[in-house]
Amino acid sequence: MPGFDYKFLEKPKRRLLCPLCGKPMREPVQVSPCGHRFCDTCLQEFLSEGVFKCPEDQLPLDYWPFARRVTFSLLDQSDPGLAKPQHVTETFHPDPNWKNFQKPGTWRGSLDESSLGFGYPKFISHQDIRKRNYVRDDAVFIRAAVELPRKILS
């Protein structure tokens, strides 16, 4: 839910308005390193598009080495009316020294597949993936979530 959609007695000060929705901020969060503030929901929606830069000044929102908790979930596509979905979820903390989680562009030379950050060992076996509706209509859904630091404004 974006900012507050109320009529105020006085026009809210500009610094209290979310730059993304233009409304007074609801559950404001502050990003680093620039310190711009947004509604939590507005920022999450912006970040869900895969852009990890401040919406105001385009500064990167994360620092290297990458050390945030990562969670992958394989979504069960069974009809929830028939059975409770049984998603497969794995979480890990990347080792900043592992070559798969180095800052992109910091290494030179040929493209070595062993140095690319993809794959998750033993996420789910081929046998287990067939036991439920993880694959439906030739499609799988995998949710990837990266833990972001939250600086709640007082």
Side-chain angles (χ1 to χ4, degrees), residues 17-33:
L17 301 177
C18 173
L20 294 172
C21 70
K23 298 176 182 176
M25 286 182 268
R26 181 186 301 260
E27 298 179 24
V29 292
Q30 181 173 346
V31 298
S32 61

Side-chain angles (χ1 to χ4, degrees), residues 140-152:
V140 295
F141 291 94
I142 299 174
R143 180 183 329 149
V146 178
E147 176 185 59
L148 296 174
R150 296 182 56 148
K151 294 184 178 180
I152 306 297

Side-chain angles (χ1 to χ4, degrees), residues 6-65:
Y6 297 120
K7 292 189 180 191
F8 291 87
L9 295 174
E10 295 179 10
K11 184 177 179 181
K13 293 183 170 127
R14 187 168 185 239
R15 65 184 175 87
L16 300 176
L17 301 177
C18 173
L20 294 172
C21 70
K23 298 176 182 176
M25 286 182 268
R26 181 186 301 260
E27 298 179 24
V29 292
Q30 181 173 346
V31 298
S32 61
C34 60
H36 287 111
R37 299 172 184 135
F38 308 91
C39 297
D40 180 48
T41 305
C42 293
L43 183 61
Q44 294 303 324
E45 186 175 314
F46 178 83
L47 295 176
S48 72
E49 297 173 7
V51 179
F52 295 100
K53 294 181 179 182
C54 173
E56 281 286 280
D57 57 22
Q58 302 302 305
L59 287 175
L61 293 183
D62 210 352
Y63 297 100
W64 290 91

Side-chain angles (χ1 to χ4, degrees), residues 90-104:
E90 290 288 340
T91 300
F92 70 98
H93 288 82
D95 179 349
N97 298 315
W98 190 30
K99 66 181 178 177
N100 291 31
F101 285 93
Q102 297 303 306
K103 185 174 183 176

